Amino acid sequence: YVPWSSTVVLDNTTVISVRQSVSHALDPEWTCQWYQWTPNSAHSKSPRRRVGPTEPPPTETSEWTRIPGATQSTFSPTALQVGYFLRCVVVTMDNEESSHSLDTATPVTAAT
């Protein structure tokens, strides 16, 4: 279940919840890790640039920065995530371990 769309505005007061479906929470055996897209941080000495809604985030999770302590199926962005896209990687333990990632369609904005 992916509730995000380009019409949803995420701000630093939003609570984001990743679920199996509208009516079912994630299986308690599954794990989550939230990431933020911080381009140029690993390969450049230049300051991190903020992105706009027309610039898509990268597809490889290795290009994202792990948000320390953000390991639950719900996440509330702070002012530190304003301007950044978010990703949640869910590791499932069905018949075999697999991972799925969900990205926000727009970057987090500041609450008004």
Side-chain angles (χ1 to χ4, degrees):
Y1 174 65
V2 182
W4 295 323
S5 74
S6 59
T7 60
V8 174
V9 176
L10 299 173
D11 66 31
N12 60 323
T13 63
T14 304
V15 176
I16 305 166
S17 181
V18 177
R19 303 176 58 84
Q20 274 183 268
S21 68
V22 173
S23 59
H24 291 90
L26 290 184
D27 185 304
E29 298 294 316
W30 297 359
T31 61
C32 296
Q33 176 61 59
W34 288 87
Y35 295 81
Q36 62 186 14
W37 183 37
T38 52
N40 301 325
S41 63
H43 307 291
S44 173
K45 294 182 180 177
S46 63
R48 295 178 181 167
R49 66 181 174 89
R50 303 280 180 175
V51 297
T54 59
E55 299 177 63
T59 56
E60 296 297 319
T61 299
S62 62
E63 297 182 44
W64 292 70
T65 301
R66 186 182 299 245
I67 302 172
T71 58
Q72 302 299 313
S73 61
T74 58
F75 179 72
S76 187
T78 68
L80 296 174
Q81 281 82 43
V82 169
Y84 293 94
F85 288 86
L86 300 177
R87 167 175 285 182
C88 182
V89 175
V90 179
V91 177
T92 61
M93 302 295 181
D94 296 333
N95 294 331
E96 58 186 64
E97 183 176 316
S98 62
S99 67
H100 308 276
S101 65
L102 304 169
D103 300 346
T104 57
T106 57
V108 176
T109 62
T112 55

